[in-house]
Amino acid sequence: MLAVVIGMVGVLTTVSRGIDDHQRKRESDVVSLRLTRVLEIVGEDLNPTTVWDEAVAEMAAPTDPTWFDRFMGGLYTTRHGHHATLGYDSSGRLIRASHHDAAPDAEAAVPFVRAARPLVNQLRAEAQGRHRSTHAKGAVRFKSAFIDIDGVIYVVGVSTIVRHTPGGLVPDADPMVASFKSFDSELDWLRNRLGAAGARFQPGAGPPPEGMSGVPILDAAGARLGQIVWTPQRPGQKILTQALPLVILILALLAVGGGVLVSRMVADVRRLGDSEAALSVALERAEAANAAKTRFLSNVSHELRTPLNGVLGMAEVMSMDMLAPKQRERLDILKASGQRQLRLIEDLLDVVRLGDGEVKLVERPFRPETLLRRLTSDYRGAAGAKGLVLTVEAVVRGEWLGDAVHLEKVMAALVHNAIRFTDSGEVIMRVMERDGLVFEVQDTGPGMDKAESARLFDPFAQRDESSTRIAEGLGLGLTVANGLAQLMGGRIEVDSTPGVGSLFRVVLPLEPAVRSSEAEAA
């Protein structure tokens, strides 16, 4: 019996180590994801002022230095807690340095100027290669990185500043802004939100201290600045510590006699039954909580959409008034931002409805060619803003039976996606008859490899998930489109070649509203 007890201790020790290793890996993955998210956040901080006609005009050939302090440096400091912000004109010359606790252009900003220069030069060289006719989000170039300044780690974001309308100023080169944010606040997030005890930055290339985990922090060139170290939780050791007295107790019971052992085994079985019952209750509560969260998400989305529709409606009314050019420019930014926000909310609602099975199909006769022409009208402006050609190739005539409303939503998601990721060339929409209807959306964008295509329809997935990605959105449009296609009994296929473009094919088992034999009989 002693051998049995020793064996049980060995098994518990092995299991506890496995649990601790899994916990350490999970915490390391979470910290790595947070570091990636930090680089994305600094870009989101810069985003509101980097696509703006007024900013291009003021920065390309600056005449009023206080404009930068008010709309760039001051804004980033008060709203996002940035430490220092640098402005560069079209020639790449530093025109203004704003520091949170010093006067503009003070000596305190000099280390930030030196640290930012390599990243600024690199981004400036990349931006020179873009076509000067592009504008808005498709024209922005952005980089972010961790950087060491006098032993303190900062997060720096560098972005070009471009016009948001076709009529905006087009300088020979884009002005730029670089802004720095202290990394210390992220350590507080790791301690408070992740529960990473003793989380701190350790400079150098040495290993983490004994008993601690570490995730490296790299600069823009891939050089190691140091690492985040923390004391990982050890649930396995806790389980072993709690279970060891029980093993000793079992040994004592074995020594007392078989009768006592049997009695304890019966008691253990009874406790196991109670635990299973408690687990069942907990599972039911978890499922109820998940349903409540889904209802909450749906209700909140509805409540967000209602006032947003009011804001967009009032903006449309205001646009009919006599406005100064600058007022109309700002109003256009407000309307465009509101439309993007409304589209995100509607995508979120569609995901919730699809998950709950609340989407109902209503089949009516419709004309596929008319549907594609309507989409062409809706997206001609977005395509034209990027210099793209949007065409339709329809070889199907007559009426077909299907849910045209949801089919149009599927095609709109694919067309919107194609325009977002295509910088030059064309986007083609097709419809063909092949065992039903086959719709295609083909673009001349960057294309994808098989790994990217495989996760394309996953919720919140992005083709480019790096901190420098240009395309905006939650990654829900294609998820909704795929769910609706499957609901209609069809599927979406993807053929893509990196550097050539992508072809999205929607295959639906639809029938003509009036078959040819029936039409001849009539």
Side-chain angles (χ1 to χ4, degrees):
M1 291 188 180
L2 181 61
V4 173
V5 174
I6 294 175
M8 292 176 63
V9 173
V11 170
L12 287 173
T13 301
T14 302
V15 170
S16 68
R17 288 176 179 173
I19 293 174
D20 289 343
D21 290 342
H22 176 75
Q23 177 68 19
R24 187 179 298 109
K25 182 180 183 303
R26 188 188 70 84
E27 291 182 5
S28 297
D29 290 342
V30 172
V31 172
S32 297
L33 288 173
R34 182 59 187 178
L35 294 179
T36 300
R37 179 61 183 147
V38 168
L39 296 175
E40 294 176 348
I41 290 175
V42 71
E44 295 170 0
D45 293 346
L46 300 182
N47 184 62
T49 56
T50 55
V51 184
W52 190 11
D53 288 0
E54 183 178 335
V56 174
E58 293 289 344
M59 296 284 289
T63 57
D64 180 10
T66 62
W67 185 95
F68 178 84
D69 298 333
R70 178 182 177 188
F71 291 101
M72 293 281 187
L75 176 67
Y76 300 152
T77 297
T78 57
R79 182 172 296 180
H80 305 296
H82 285 213
H83 201 80
T85 303
L86 314 176
Y88 301 84
D89 64 11
S90 296
S91 67
R93 179 178 61 90
L94 178 69
I95 59 173
R96 195 68 170 173
S98 177
H99 197 269
H100 82 288
D101 58 359
D105 296 315
E107 289 295 323
V110 172
F112 297 95
V113 175
R114 286 198 303 267
R117 177 51 67 179
L119 205 58
V120 168
N121 291 343
Q122 182 182 358
L123 188 63
R124 177 176 171 79
E126 292 181 9
Q128 289 290 346
R130 80 170 182 88
H131 199 283
R132 306 308 297 175
S133 64
T134 58
H135 64 282
K137 286 290 184 182
V140 175
R141 297 296 181 269
F142 168 76
K143 287 185 178 297
S144 61
F146 295 104
I147 197 166
D148 186 341
I149 301 179
D150 298 332
V152 179
I153 301 300
Y154 292 88
V155 186
V156 59
V158 183
S159 176
T160 58
I161 302 173
V162 302
R163 58 196 175 115
H164 73 275
T165 64
L169 178 66
V170 185
D172 293 336
D174 298 327
M176 302 173 65
V177 61
S179 197
F180 296 79
K181 193 174 185 178
S182 174
F183 184 67
D184 288 343
S185 61
E186 295 305 319
L187 295 177
D188 293 335
W189 186 95
L190 293 175
R191 299 186 192 104
N192 300 330
R193 298 287 296 276
L194 179 60
R200 58 183 173 83
F201 175 73
Q202 175 182 290
E210 183 68 25
M212 301 187 77
S213 296
V215 171
I217 294 182
L218 309 179
D219 64 11
R224 179 165 174 157
L225 301 176
Q227 60 184 332
I228 301 297
V229 297
W230 72 96
T231 302
Q233 300 180 27
R234 303 188 66 182
Q237 186 183 52
K238 183 177 180 181
I239 292 174
L240 180 61
T241 303
Q242 293 176 345
L244 193 58
L246 179 60
V247 175
I248 297 175
L249 178 59
I250 291 174
L251 180 60
L253 290 174
L254 288 173
V256 172
V260 177
L261 178 60
V262 172
S263 176
R264 295 295 299 177
M265 290 175 63
V266 173
D268 289 340
V269 171
R270 186 179 298 111
R271 285 197 299 270
L272 180 59
D274 294 341
S275 298
E276 290 177 349
L279 180 61
S280 178
V281 173
L283 181 60
E284 292 176 358
R285 290 178 178 174
E287 291 175 348
N290 186 60
K293 286 190 292 185
T294 299
R295 291 194 301 270
F296 172 78
L297 183 61
S298 178
N299 291 338
V300 167
S301 299
H302 277 294
E303 292 300 324
L304 288 173
R305 185 171 60 174
T306 300
L308 185 57
N309 281 327
V311 171
L312 292 174
M314 186 55 65
E316 189 66 30
V317 173
M318 293 173 61
S319 66
M320 300 178 184
D321 295 337
M322 297 294 293
L323 301 175
K326 185 171 294 187
Q327 291 174 325
R328 184 166 297 280
E329 173 187 320
R330 294 172 177 173
L331 183 60
D332 289 341
I333 295 175
L334 173 64
K335 289 167 60 179
S337 299
Q339 290 291 350
R340 286 195 299 269
Q341 188 67 28
L342 183 60
R343 184 168 58 250
L344 293 178
I345 292 173
E346 289 177 345
D347 285 346
L348 192 58
L349 279 172
D350 286 336
V351 170
V352 173
R353 293 193 188 103
L354 284 170
D356 291 343
E358 295 180 357
V359 178
K360 306 299 180 184
L361 299 179
V362 179
E363 294 188 342
R364 294 191 178 91
F366 73 100
R367 293 183 176 272
E369 182 181 13
T370 302
L371 186 148
L372 295 187
R373 298 296 181 191
R374 187 160 56 247
L375 287 173
T376 302
S377 177
D378 292 342
Y379 285 93
R380 181 177 292 111
K386 299 183 70 174
L388 303 177
V389 178
L390 184 61
T391 59
V392 171
E393 296 178 5
V395 296
V396 175
R397 298 293 185 268
E399 293 188 334
W400 289 69
L401 192 62
D403 191 327
V405 174
H406 288 108
L407 176 56
E408 184 170 350
K409 182 179 287 290
V410 172
M411 293 299 296
L414 298 180
V415 174
H416 177 74
N417 186 73
I419 294 175
R420 274 201 310 166
F421 289 99
T422 303
D423 292 330
S424 63
E426 61 181 351
V427 175
I428 303 173
M429 291 182 287
R430 302 187 185 94
V431 59
M432 299 166 285
E433 181 178 355
R434 189 188 304 161
D435 294 331
L437 282 184
V438 177
F439 292 82
E440 291 183 349
V441 177
Q442 183 174 5
D443 61 60
T444 55
M448 298 170 288
D449 56 29
K450 291 183 178 180
E452 292 173 329
S453 300
R455 61 182 179 84
L456 194 61
F457 299 110
D458 293 341
F460 303 103
Q462 296 278 359
R463 177 189 176 274
D464 178 9
E465 297 189 347
S466 67
S467 61
T468 60
R469 67 182 177 91
I470 298 174
E472 59 190 11
L474 292 176
L476 292 177
L478 294 183
T479 302
V480 172
N482 189 49
L484 291 174
Q486 293 177 354
L487 187 64
M488 289 185 281
R491 65 187 183 277
I492 298 180
E493 301 172 348
V494 183
D495 294 330
S496 187
T497 303
V500 177
S502 301
L503 173 64
F504 287 78
R505 183 180 299 109
V506 183
V507 182
L508 297 173
L510 303 184
E511 297 287 344
V514 179
R515 294 183 178 275
S516 59
S517 59
E518 296 174 351
E520 291 173 0

